[in-house]
Amino acid sequence: MLNPADPAFVARLAVRLPAGAVIPPEPRHLQEPRGRHHGQAGAVALPDSTDQLAGIVRACAEARVGIVPLGGGTGLVGGQVMGAGPLPLVVSLERMNRLRGIFPEENVIVVEAGMILADVQTAAEAAGRMFPLWLASEGSCRIGGNLATNAGGTAVLRHGNARDLCLGLEAVLPDGSVLHGLKRLRKDNTGYDLRNLLIGAEGTLGIITAASLKLVRPPAAEGTALIVVPSPTAALDLLGLAQARFGPLVTGFELMHRMGLEFLAETLPDLRQPFAVAPEWLVLVDLGLTQGMDPADELGALFAEAQAAGLASDGLVAQSGAQRAAFWALRETIPEANRRVGSIASHDIALPLGKIAGFIATAGAALARLAEVRINCFGHLGDGNLHYNVFPARGRNRAEYDDLRAPITRLVHDLVAAAGGSISAEHGVGRLKVADLERYGDPAKLAAMRAIKQALDPLGIMNPGAVLRP
Amino acid sequence: MLNPADPAFVARLAVRLPAGAVIPPEPRHLQEPRGRHHGQAGAVALPDSTDQLAGIVRACAEARVGIVPLGGGTGLVGGQVMGAGPLPLVVSLERMNRLRGIFPEENVIVVEAGMILADVQTAAEAAGRMFPLWLASEGSCRIGGNLATNAGGTAVLRHGNARDLCLGLEAVLPDGSVLHGLKRLRKDNTGYDLRNLLIGAEGTLGIITAASLKLVRPPAAEGTALIVVPSPTAALDLLGLAQARFGPLVTGFELMHRMGLEFLAETLPDLRQPFAVAPEWLVLVDLGLTQGMDPADELGALFAEAQAAGLASDGLVAQSGAQRAAFWALRETIPEANRRVGSIASHDIALPLGKIAGFIATAGAALARLAEVRINCFGHLGDGNLHYNVFPARGRNRAEYDDLRAPITRLVHDLVAAAGGSISAEHGVGRLKVADLERYGDPAKLAAMRAIKQALDPLGIMNPGAVLRP
């Protein structure tokens, strides 16, 4: 059983650290973006170095005090806020935000975990490179949190998740020891893959303090098109056409539904809509091309081929950087429109590509039988990752659906599980989906996870209650 | 302490299984390709299904008998042969070699672990796709072994290691439970990453029984060039030029040294050499292009740019598929020439790209001070992975260097470690490098590895003595 981070513990900890390194919690340390989870903490520690952080972890281990690691606080499943149980110590990485090194000729950057994602991108750009992890929250999320949750985003199709962009980690383990693994290597088969174990463990097996990350050279030219497709099946066929034509140069392939465009029109009327009448299904295709390829020509040729094959009825190819940004803004503003409308339940799901069209049809019909709702289904189609969000019928509000929230999520997740999908494609488990993981997770996997948690964190101090029930 | 797989145990096991599923060991079950390690076994089990394999593991756990999992037996570090300790049971996956399913529209194939790598490639090709893991041993290695060792090869620069090509695993864990994780998903953030933990664990945490793997569409056109470069530094600059021009379309970037060409001329005189005088340093550049790009034109343009920048003095662009195959054959036959010459010591190392040129200079000078040797340094330069192999001086033989083997390896590995490199880039730890891992591995990593091994395999039955000392 854990002990609370009570005033006596906090005072003892503060004495060991420089002035200002232990502070009372501020609201930003205890909230998450949707306002659905509220945290508590005896104090917030602000280590300035890996050694300081290791000392804090050792103090917590000695006193059996729980630790909630905090990056930018943008997680959507409550992994960063602990609302119940003995008062934890929040350990914020915000002061550990240094660039440790950049090696453009190696396509590598080494950064501390508290660095804001956008700052990593900016540092890469300054060296003529690109760090291709693009998220809606990139201006405030921190790279340590991106790695702890294996964040995804809009360029996963080409560049992979956060996991795929990480070459090495430094981390403080639950006993206060420091894992020194900041290698700048593309290949390293020396023992178990602790890097990937810590990535996606959401702070329950240790705290990531720094990372060496892959960079890429920016493409010679980039191009974006919006293409109206008759159905999700046609959208997937169009993805096939694009990949046959451009191979790994297809960077993004996003699906949007009429409902998302209507929500945008309703809540953000100043945002310019690309089509006079909102199409039922729309995809955004993004290419990063090599020297000598013209984006508008290439996308025009793709559109012509798609149209001839009955896969596209209308489309727009960006003719400038500003237009390209506007197309992306459309896609990236949908979550904000969703927030303004107010969902009953949101689902971050992944499906085998071949199961997507069937799922959309079946889930829509089943939800319609359950309740009068609106569905905004959109997301990273190229990765099989849909944000399948369910909203009140027009003119009604969320509160009227309180009793339906759980049945709706159950229905959606049951269909996802039956199709061999994932109930958390990119957001993680956090505290919100612990019970879902127990319900849908493979029993052997859960048993192995518990054994690993017990082996590396026998006191259970690392982010208690996240991912696994304490 | 483990018990031997003695005749009584073997008889009890045989009764539980179909006739012919437990056989006496044959030489092929106990040998490895270089003939440096020799195994022993009480028997060889040949399960036909995951359930049978799970039953075998449970029987071994009950009796505390060690298991040596066996794929194609092509590993170079002895992970597949146990030469000392209580007689183990070898469990060969050779009968579990079925194609479970192929989903071209998803770019996914699901195969059993015992499938020969070349058969996976053939199945992908039959469906119009490509499985881009290319190894010298692809005709005999099995995909389960490729995954257990996180195999690399010649297309890692573009497609990653075996790890990067795997979407999901089925495996039997040390307690005989079955991990069902054959998902066909690009994104799945539901708990700890057991897939990547099993990949690269070399059979010490469980036995991989099946995998879902990524496929890609074949490039529209492929092209290969041999380019003579003045130095390793120039080779790396040329890699930069190629990546600036072609981005992710650069598939392979291999380095060869004059010594390799001389070994080929000496041991395989029928192989046609591309240059009248063997150049000091040579790179092979391989491209997989998109529609409308001409390989010879593109490689010609790259060569011209390289020549103008002083990075290339001579070169050959393949003008046909046969010529392309001949260029690759040159590179891929070097290991056979090495075997015929007979190395004193071989090293499978990775270095940060920025450290490679310095390492080659420093290591060469240091070895020259230690002994009269010949060095064949070649490999996957784009990945920072060199095969740094040391040979007797001309006219002398390996036996004369017996006392120097350990000091040579120590010297090479010390320099690699000092440069932040890896002493096993792609071959793994096996039994050969257990002491090296202890010497050069991060202490916190080793402690965590031992804790995980103890947690998942408390009896220590899984591939005893591989990776970690038993």
Side-chain angles (χ1 to χ4, degrees):
Chain A
M1 188 62 187
L2 295 175
N3 297 314
D6 59 20
F9 170 79
V10 172
R12 284 201 309 277
L13 183 69
V15 169
R16 294 198 197 182
L17 291 165
V22 180
I23 62 171
E26 296 167 12
R28 69 191 172 93
H29 297 121
L30 303 176
Q31 289 168 347
E32 55 82 59
R34 287 179 180 158
R36 294 190 187 167
H37 309 273
H38 296 281
Q40 45 159 10
V44 176
L46 304 170
D48 187 57
S49 70
T50 303
D51 279 352
Q52 273 183 21
L53 202 160
I56 292 165
V57 171
R58 282 194 297 273
C60 288
E62 283 161 20
R64 300 200 170 206
V65 165
I67 295 172
V68 177
L70 182 64
T74 60
L76 295 172
V77 287
Q80 74 277 42
V81 285
M82 178 174 156
L87 270 186
L89 181 74
V90 166
V91 176
S92 169
L93 278 288
E94 62 198 72
R95 290 187 179 177
M96 292 186 61
N97 62 352
R98 298 173 196 88
L99 174 67
R100 293 232 187 130
I102 186 160
F103 306 87
E105 77 286 0
E106 297 180 5
N107 289 313
V108 174
I109 191 170
V110 182
V111 299
E112 289 185 345
M115 199 162 178
I116 300 273
L117 174 54
D119 293 339
V120 182
Q121 293 164 349
T122 302
E125 280 158 28
R129 295 295 183 274
M130 195 166 87
F131 180 62
L133 184 68
W134 311 106
L135 305 179
S137 59
E138 61 201 30
S140 54
C141 62
R142 297 176 192 271
I143 189 67
N146 299 142
L147 290 165
T149 60
N150 187 29
T154 55
V156 172
L157 186 60
R158 175 157 177 172
H159 299 289
N161 293 291
R163 178 187 307 291
D164 303 297
L165 295 170
C166 180
L167 296 171
L169 288 181
E170 178 190 272
V172 175
L173 300 182
D175 63 358
S177 63
V178 177
L179 179 79
H180 294 284
L182 282 182
K183 294 203 169 168
R184 312 199 305 264
L185 305 174
R186 307 280 158 165
K187 283 180 168 177
D188 183 19
N189 277 350
T190 51
Y192 301 164
D193 188 358
L194 296 188
R195 169 171 57 92
N196 279 314
L197 188 62
L198 288 167
I199 294 173
E202 305 184 36
T204 64
L205 299 178
I207 302 176
I208 294 168
T209 53
S212 64
L213 303 168
K214 286 185 200 171
L215 301 177
V216 297
R217 286 171 187 264
E222 294 174 287
T224 305
L226 294 175
I227 300 182
V228 176
V229 294
S231 67
T233 300
L236 287 162
D237 291 344
L238 175 59
L239 172 63
L241 279 193
Q243 290 184 323
R245 193 174 267 274
F246 304 114
L249 306 182
V250 183
T251 306
F253 198 88
E254 299 284 316
L255 180 72
M256 289 175 271
H257 182 254
R258 180 181 46 75
M259 195 60 70
L261 302 176
E262 289 181 11
F263 284 179
L264 285 170
E266 191 180 315
T267 64
L268 295 153
D270 292 344
L271 189 82
R272 186 152 171 244
Q273 296 259 347
F275 298 96
V277 177
E280 188 73 7
W281 293 106
L282 181 64
V283 297
L284 181 155
V285 186
D286 195 77
L287 303 179
L289 299 170
T290 62
Q291 282 180 25
M293 298 176 90
D294 179 78
D297 288 354
E298 300 292 344
L299 286 163
L302 174 68
F303 178 74
E305 188 181 358
Q307 200 173 29
L311 302 177
S313 60
D314 198 357
L316 291 167
V317 173
Q319 300 297 326
S320 66
Q323 206 171 17
R324 191 171 166 258
F327 288 0
W328 268 110
L330 189 79
R331 164 62 186 85
E332 292 187 329
T333 312
I334 289 175
E336 176 57 25
N338 287 344
R339 264 188 291 275
R340 293 185 184 205
V341 174
S343 75
I344 304 167
S346 315
H347 309 94
D348 166 38
I349 61 176
L351 292 158
L353 292 183
K355 301 279 190 177
I356 285 177
F359 168 84
I360 290 175
T362 308
L367 284 172
R369 287 193 295 272
L370 191 67
E372 196 193 355
V373 295
R374 291 181 292 175
I375 296 162
N376 187 12
C377 170
F378 67 105
H380 317 298
L381 186 67
D383 315 315
N385 176 195
L386 299 176
H387 298 304
Y388 192 86
N389 296 355
V390 183
F391 296 82
R394 183 179 285 273
R396 298 178 63 186
N397 69 63
R398 290 176 58 180
E400 298 175 51
Y401 292 82
D402 276 349
D403 294 344
L404 282 167
R405 183 164 298 122
I408 286 171
T409 290
R410 172 69 64 86
L411 186 155
V412 171
H413 285 176
D414 281 355
L415 288 172
V416 167
S422 169
I423 57 149
S424 180
E426 58 175 8
H427 295 164
V429 176
R431 290 177 172 82
L432 184 65
K433 294 189 180 173
V434 170
D436 284 318
L437 182 63
E438 289 173 354
R439 170 176 296 273
Y440 298 106
D442 178 62
K445 175 174 176 177
L446 282 163
M449 285 173 58
R450 290 189 187 106
I452 291 167
K453 171 74 174 174
Q454 175 67 27
L456 297 183
D457 183 19
L459 304 173
I461 61 171
M462 277 295 170
N463 213 1
V467 185
L468 293 170
R469 205 176 288 269
Chain B
M1 190 61 190
L2 295 175
N3 297 315
D6 58 21
F9 170 79
V10 172
R12 285 200 308 277
L13 183 68
V15 169
R16 294 197 196 184
L17 292 165
V22 180
I23 62 169
E26 296 167 11
R28 68 191 172 93
H29 298 121
L30 305 175
Q31 289 167 347
E32 55 84 55
R34 288 179 180 157
R36 298 195 185 162
H37 309 275
H38 295 281
Q40 46 157 9
V44 176
L46 304 169
D48 188 55
S49 69
T50 303
D51 279 352
Q52 274 184 19
L53 203 160
I56 293 166
V57 171
R58 281 193 299 273
C60 289
E62 283 161 20
R64 298 200 172 207
V65 165
I67 295 171
V68 176
L70 182 63
T74 59
L76 295 173
V77 288
Q80 74 277 41
V81 284
M82 178 174 157
L87 269 186
L89 180 75
V90 166
V91 176
S92 169
L93 279 287
E94 63 198 70
R95 289 187 180 178
M96 292 186 62
N97 62 353
R98 298 174 197 87
L99 174 67
R100 293 234 187 128
I102 186 160
F103 307 87
E105 77 287 359
E106 296 180 4
N107 289 312
V108 174
I109 190 170
V110 182
V111 298
E112 289 186 345
M115 199 162 177
I116 300 271
L117 174 54
D119 293 340
V120 182
Q121 293 164 350
T122 302
E125 279 159 27
R129 295 295 185 272
M130 194 166 88
F131 180 62
L133 184 68
W134 311 107
L135 305 179
S137 59
E138 61 203 30
S140 54
C141 63
R142 295 176 192 271
I143 188 67
N146 299 144
L147 290 165
T149 59
N150 186 29
T154 55
V156 173
L157 185 61
R158 175 157 177 174
H159 299 289
N161 294 292
R163 179 188 303 292
D164 303 297
L165 296 170
C166 179
L167 296 170
L169 288 181
E170 178 190 273
V172 176
L173 300 182
D175 63 356
S177 63
V178 178
L179 180 79
H180 294 284
L182 282 182
K183 293 201 169 171
R184 312 198 305 264
L185 305 174
R186 308 279 159 165
K187 284 181 169 177
D188 182 19
N189 277 347
T190 51
Y192 301 164
D193 188 356
L194 295 188
R195 169 171 56 91
N196 279 314
L197 189 62
L198 288 167
I199 294 173
E202 304 183 36
T204 63
L205 299 178
I207 301 177
I208 294 167
T209 54
S212 64
L213 303 168
K214 287 185 200 171
L215 301 177
V216 297
R217 286 170 188 264
E222 294 174 286
T224 305
L226 294 175
I227 300 182
V228 176
V229 294
S231 66
T233 302
L236 287 161
D237 290 345
L238 174 60
L239 172 63
L241 279 193
Q243 290 183 321
R245 192 174 268 273
F246 303 114
L249 306 182
V250 183
T251 305
F253 198 87
E254 299 285 315
L255 181 71
M256 288 175 271
H257 182 255
R258 180 180 44 76
M259 195 61 70
L261 301 177
E262 288 181 10
F263 285 179
L264 285 170
E266 190 180 316
T267 63
L268 295 154
D270 292 343
L271 190 83
R272 185 150 173 249
Q273 295 261 348
F275 298 97
V277 177
E280 188 73 8
W281 294 104
L282 181 64
V283 298
L284 182 155
V285 186
D286 195 77
L287 303 178
L289 299 170
T290 61
Q291 279 180 26
M293 297 175 92
D294 180 76
D297 289 354
E298 299 292 345
L299 285 163
L302 174 67
F303 178 75
E305 189 181 356
Q307 200 172 29
L311 302 177
S313 60
D314 198 357
L316 291 167
V317 173
Q319 301 297 326
S320 67
Q323 206 171 17
R324 191 171 166 257
F327 290 180
W328 269 109
L330 188 78
R331 162 63 185 86
E332 293 187 329
T333 312
I334 289 176
E336 177 56 26
N338 287 344
R339 264 188 291 274
R340 294 187 182 205
V341 174
S343 75
I344 304 167
S346 315
H347 309 95
D348 166 39
I349 61 175
L351 292 158
L353 292 184
K355 300 278 190 178
I356 285 177
F359 168 83
I360 289 175
T362 307
L367 284 173
R369 286 192 295 272
L370 191 66
E372 197 191 355
V373 294
R374 290 181 293 176
I375 296 163
N376 187 11
C377 171
F378 67 104
H380 318 298
L381 187 67
D383 315 316
N385 177 193
L386 299 177
H387 298 303
Y388 192 85
N389 295 356
V390 182
F391 295 83
R394 182 179 285 274
R396 298 178 63 185
N397 70 62
R398 288 176 60 181
E400 298 174 51
Y401 292 82
D402 276 349
D403 294 344
L404 282 167
R405 184 166 296 121
I408 286 172
T409 291
R410 173 69 65 84
L411 186 157
V412 171
H413 284 175
D414 280 356
L415 288 172
V416 167
S422 169
I423 57 149
S424 180
E426 60 176 6
H427 295 166
V429 175
R431 290 178 172 83
L432 184 65
K433 294 189 180 174
V434 170
D436 283 320
L437 182 62
E438 290 174 353
R439 170 177 294 275
Y440 299 105
D442 178 62
K445 176 175 176 178
L446 283 162
M449 284 172 58
R450 291 190 186 105
I452 291 167
K453 171 73 174 175
Q454 175 67 25
L456 296 184
D457 183 19
L459 303 174
I461 61 171
M462 277 295 171
N463 212 1
V467 185
L468 293 170
R469 206 176 286 270

